[in-house]
Amino acid sequence: MHDFIKSEADLDDRLSTPSAEDVNLFRELEGDLIIIGVAGKMGPSLARRAVRASRAAGPPRRVIGVSRFSTPSSERLLQEAGVETLRIDLLDAGAVAALPDARNVLFMAGRKFGSTGAESLTWAMNAYLPALVAERYRHSRIVVFSSGNVYPLVPVDSGGATEETLPAPLGEYAQSVLARERIFEHFSRRYETPVTLVRLNYAIDLRYGVLMDIGSKVFAGQPLDITMGAVNVIWQGDANSVALRSLAHCQTPPWVLNLTGPETLSVRALAQRFGEIFGRAPVLTGQEALTGLLNNASRCQRTFGAPTVTVEQMIQWTAHWITSGGATLDKPTHFESRDGRF
C-alpha cells in the first residue's frame, strides 16, 4: 500500500519536512543562511526546509531568499513560511554587493532552458554572477549548485562519472556551468573561502522531473525516445537535505559532490513499469546508446547515507499524480538531449 501524495500542499510539506540530520546540522551551524536564486524549481522547498530545521534546532536565525521573483506568489508563499525575501536583479553588481551578511550561502541561481539562442545571458548568469557572489561572500561558506552536465557521456555499464572524472562539458550550457564551478574555485583558493560544488542529476518533484517526463508520455501514448537509455534520479526532499548538510563539508579548494540516487536506471524499464501501472504499452522509439549522462553517487551515499525515498516509491507517486491530474510546471527536463542543446 503506497502513501500517495494527493495535493500540492501535501507535496510541498513532504519536500520541506526536515530530517533529524537536518535539525542536527542547524544545531551545530553558526550564522544566518542566504539562498541566492531561491525562486527556481528546488529553491522554495529547500528554503522552507531550512526554516523548519532551524526552528526545530533552537535559537532563531535568518533564512533569506534572494531572487527576481518574477512570479509574485512564490515570494508571498516563502514569506508566509518564515523566509525573508529580497527582490533584486542578480546581474546588478551593486545590488549583489549590498546583500546582507550571512555566514552560510546556498547558490542556486543559474540558467539552462532557453540557452540556445540566448547564450550570452546564460553565460552572464552562470559565469559572471558567480564572480559577484564569490567576491561578496568571500568570508562565508558556500554550497554551489552545479550539474552532472559538466561530465562527458560515459558508458552505461560504468556506474557513472565519479568526482574524479575530468569534466568535458558538451554544449554552451554545460560549458557555462563548468565556468561557474571554476569561478567559485578561483575565489575559494584566492580567499580561502570554504566551498562545496554539488553536481546534481536529476531531482524528482511530482510536478516535473525525469519520471514525470517518462510517465506522462506513457500515459498519453506518446512516443518516448530511449536513445539516452539510462538516467539517475533522486527525490527532491533527499536532494534538499544533502544540499543543506553539505554546508558542513565546505572546504578550500572546493569539495566536489555528485548528488543523485545510487542506481543507474534504464529508461526502457522505467517506461515499462509505468506501462504496467497504467495498463498500456509504452511507445518507444530509437535504440539505447552505449553511453549516457550518468553520475556515480558513491561519495554521497558514504557521507550522507542512502536516500529515504526509493525509485519504486517515486514511480508510484508519479503515476498516481499523473492519473489524478496533478499540477505540473510544464518544464520538461530534456534528459533525452545528447548534444548539449537546451
Side-chain angles (χ1 to χ4, degrees), residues 31-323:
D32 296 329
L33 170 66
I34 191 166
I35 304 172
I36 297 174
V38 74
K41 293 188 292 295
M42 286 185 66
S45 64
L46 193 152
R48 289 192 291 270
R49 192 181 189 103
V51 169
R52 295 173 71 177
S54 177
R55 287 174 173 171
R61 78 187 70 225
R62 299 172 73 191
V63 176
I64 306 162
V66 181
S67 176
R68 290 178 302 144
F69 291 111
S70 53
T71 304
S73 61
S74 65
E75 183 178 19
R76 175 179 53 79
L77 290 172
L78 284 172
Q79 291 170 344
E80 291 174 353
V83 180
E84 297 181 39
T85 61
L86 293 173
R87 186 183 300 189
I88 70 166
D89 176 359
L90 289 171
L91 295 179
D92 182 334
V96 173
L99 287 172
D101 291 340
R103 184 69 185 86
N104 308 287
V105 180
L106 286 175
F107 183 84
M108 306 186 75
R111 177 176 167 84
K112 179 177 182 178
F113 303 118
S115 294
T116 301
E119 289 82 359
S120 61
L121 177 58
T122 296
W123 280 89
M125 287 295 298
N126 293 348
Y128 171 65
L129 173 59
L132 300 179
V133 171
E135 182 75 47
R136 170 63 186 88
Y137 289 104
R138 60 189 180 274
H139 300 305
S140 304
R141 63 175 68 87
I142 309 174
V143 170
V144 177
F145 273 74
S146 183
S147 168
N149 285 86
V150 301
Y151 292 125
L153 299 175
V154 298
V156 170
D157 61 1
S158 68
T162 71
E163 290 85 355
E164 285 71 39
T165 300
L166 292 178
L170 182 63
E172 289 208 41
Y173 161 69
Q175 292 164 13
S176 71
V177 173
L178 181 58
R180 176 195 300 156
E181 290 194 5
R182 296 304 192 209
I183 292 296
F184 276 107
E185 180 186 357
H186 167 74
F187 283 95
S188 174
R189 293 177 182 273
R190 179 176 180 179
Y191 295 122
E192 297 188 351
T193 305
V195 171
T196 296
L197 302 173
V198 176
R199 293 171 175 168
L200 176 65
N201 253 14
Y202 288 95
I204 298 300
D205 170 330
L206 303 185
R207 293 162 292 204
Y208 74 92
V210 171
L211 297 184
M212 168 60 75
D213 292 350
I214 295 171
S216 295
K217 287 192 173 182
V218 174
F219 185 70
Q222 297 174 345
L224 174 67
D225 184 357
I226 60 170
T227 306
M228 185 72 87
V231 293
N232 307 123
V233 301
I234 187 169
W235 178 242
Q236 185 173 295
D238 287 319
N240 286 342
S241 178
V242 169
L244 287 172
R245 287 188 282 154
S246 293
L247 285 163
H249 295 269
C250 294
Q251 62 186 42
T252 182
W255 189 55
V256 180
L257 180 72
N258 289 346
L259 175 51
T260 193
E263 308 96 342
T264 297
L265 301 171
S266 160
V267 174
R268 179 190 295 271
L270 289 170
Q272 290 172 338
R273 181 70 187 108
F274 277 113
E276 291 172 1
I277 296 171
F278 297 144
R280 63 193 66 181
V283 181
L284 306 179
T285 65
Q287 182 61 45
E288 292 97 332
L290 297 178
T291 58
L293 184 66
L294 298 165
N295 281 10
N296 184 309
S298 296
R299 177 178 293 176
C300 188
Q301 316 307 317
R302 289 194 304 269
T303 307
F304 300 105
T308 64
V309 179
T310 67
V311 173
E312 176 62 19
Q313 185 71 79
M314 285 186 275
I315 291 171
Q316 292 285 346
W317 284 349
T318 302
H320 180 267
W321 193 263
I322 291 169
T323 56

